[in-house]
Amino acid sequence: MLKEKTFLITGIADEQSLATYAAKEIIKQGGSVICTGLGVSPFHKDLSEKAKAFLNKNFEDFKEAVHRSLGNSRVEVLDITLEENLDSLSRQLKEEGVKLNGLLHAIAMDKTIRNKKVKPLLEVTKEEFCDTMDVSAYSLIRLTRYLLKYGVLQNDASICSLSYIAAAKVTFHPYRNISIAKAALERITIELADELGRSHGIRVNAVRFSPFMGSKAGNATLNEEDIEISNRMSPLGNAAPQDLANEIVHLMRPKSRITGEIRHVDGGYHITG
Ligand SMILES: NC(=O)c1ccc[n+]([C@@H]2O[C@H](COP(=O)([O-])OP(=O)(O)OC[C@H]3O[C@@H](n4cnc5c(N)ncnc54)[C@H](O)[C@@H]3O)[C@@H](O)[C@H]2O)c1
């Protein structure tokens, strides 16, 4: 289905990252992937020793996960907030003649959730709000802009990002700050679908997925109880990462006319409550 197609995969932290499942399925369907992971780049400035150690460990875990799950797929460092990092990566891909048929945006960060506790919105600072927005939502615009600037992202490519029902509804475990960023990510998806559909024939969609504790982000924010409640409320029970991977492959298929969609892979959770 995806023979001779190449996809950029962001957001792999380890083997349990949702992006790892998606990349594995893309490869199974004949595609190839270039994976980006968060690590120390030449474009970081004034990193503390602690931050450096965190980023280095993150990148090692990322490389290990790619090696174990995705064979010899290419890996690159990318901090999605750094313009220079994106410019350099996109230029390099261009110089090597890489042509991308799609990309997966699977990146989110919110420092107002600590030890599974969510800060009330009234206490969220402007800096915390803007950081979360930058990493989790605006980054989709920034990533797309640089890949297009260098002609790496092909006409007819497919862009997919990962969201959550909290973008639209207050759920039994409200996320507050990141919910607002997810709402922005979904609106960006729709606006880009219109812009890029007309200018480049590029499709842009987002998928809202069930809560999943296996990944680092999921584990940092969810409790077992949340998973059970959601499982009970969903007519088909919680969706699994493989269900999500199948849907992403479906959206990545060439020549479909699906765009501007906010899809649900959540066992039907969204129709309840
Ligand atoms: N786990 C869930 O319950 C769930 C449900 C629905 C949607 N999602 C979404 O799926 C996506 C992937 O999350 P996951 O659950 O696989 O967790 P994860 O922790 O495996 O992935 C989050 C990724 O974001 C990356 N990241 C954070 N800041 C970055 C930056 N500045 N530059 C580059 N990368 C950065 C991390 O390195 C990590 O790879 C996120 O958008 C998340 O909101 C998760």
Side-chain angles (χ1 to χ4, degrees):
M1 206 195 279
L2 300 179
K3 243 190 186 139
E4 288 167 25
K5 304 290 176 201
T6 305
F7 300 88
L8 188 80
I9 305 292
T10 67
I12 293 180
D14 59 26
E15 282 178 278
Q16 288 301 311
S17 289
L18 294 172
T20 311
Y21 286 87
K24 228 191 280 185
E25 191 57 31
I26 285 173
I27 291 171
K28 199 171 151 199
Q29 298 299 329
S32 58
V33 295
I34 297 172
C35 303
T36 67
L38 182 59
V40 176
S41 80
F43 311 100
H44 281 103
K45 289 184 189 87
D46 305 326
L47 281 178
S48 67
E49 286 309 310
K50 197 174 157 199
K52 235 185 256 173
F54 168 80
L55 289 173
N56 279 330
K57 165 89 171 63
N58 197 77
F59 198 68
E60 284 311 308
D61 291 349
F62 153 73
K63 276 197 302 192
E64 181 95 15
V66 171
H67 181 66
R68 275 207 298 261
S69 301
L70 310 171
N72 57 2
S73 297
R74 176 171 175 175
V75 293
E76 294 289 342
V77 173
L78 178 64
D79 184 326
I80 199 87
T81 63
L82 299 178
E83 301 269 336
E84 301 91 328
N85 198 167
L86 272 165
D87 191 77
S88 159
L89 174 64
S90 305
R91 191 172 347 105
Q92 192 189 328
L93 294 175
K94 163 77 179 166
E95 282 165 8
E96 292 172 21
V98 171
K99 293 182 190 321
L100 290 177
N101 303 101
L103 69 88
L104 176 67
H105 179 286
I107 291 176
M109 187 279 304
D110 181 11
K111 290 186 183 150
T112 71
I113 307 176
R114 286 251 182 259
N115 304 322
K116 305 187 191 251
K117 285 219 167 67
V118 179
K119 214 182 209 191
L121 199 53
L122 270 185
E123 292 171 23
V124 172
T125 65
K126 181 178 158 192
E127 199 186 356
E128 288 167 337
F129 182 88
C130 292
D131 276 359
T132 299
M133 239 350 153
D134 188 17
V135 177
S136 316
Y138 181 75
S139 57
L140 178 61
I141 299 178
R142 191 188 280 122
L143 174 62
T144 306
R145 179 194 304 128
Y146 280 99
L147 291 173
L148 280 176
K149 174 181 167 188
Y150 287 98
V152 176
L153 198 58
Q154 299 301 289
N155 288 354
D156 190 35
S158 173
I159 297 174
C160 184
S161 61
L162 300 188
S163 189
Y164 182 56
I165 189 77
K169 282 188 187 178
V170 176
T171 68
F172 55 89
H173 54 98
Y175 275 138
R176 308 300 183 207
N177 195 36
I178 188 75
S179 303
I180 297 168
K182 287 298 187 195
L185 179 71
E186 293 188 1
R187 193 65 215 171
I188 289 167
T189 297
I190 290 167
E191 298 296 345
L192 278 183
D194 184 53
E195 262 185 41
L196 299 183
R198 293 174 195 283
S199 61
H200 295 77
I202 289 177
R203 294 161 280 144
V204 193
N205 296 287
V207 183
R208 291 182 183 163
F209 182 55
S210 293
F212 170 62
M213 266 185 88
S215 65
K216 278 188 180 161
N219 195 264
T221 51
L222 293 157
N223 293 299
E224 291 287 355
E225 200 195 348
D226 302 325
I227 305 288
E228 279 164 31
I229 297 173
S230 153
N231 196 42
R232 231 179 10 249
M233 286 177 72
S234 308
L236 299 177
N238 286 331
Q242 187 58 42
D243 299 315
L244 176 68
N246 294 343
E247 183 60 18
I248 291 168
V249 162
H250 175 64
L251 292 170
M252 293 295 181
R253 277 187 328 178
K255 301 205 189 304
S256 98
R257 287 199 185 265
I258 303 168
T259 197
E261 282 256 38
I262 311 298
R263 303 189 92 114
H264 295 90
V265 176
D266 66 354
Y269 178 94
H270 66 284
I271 63 170
T272 68

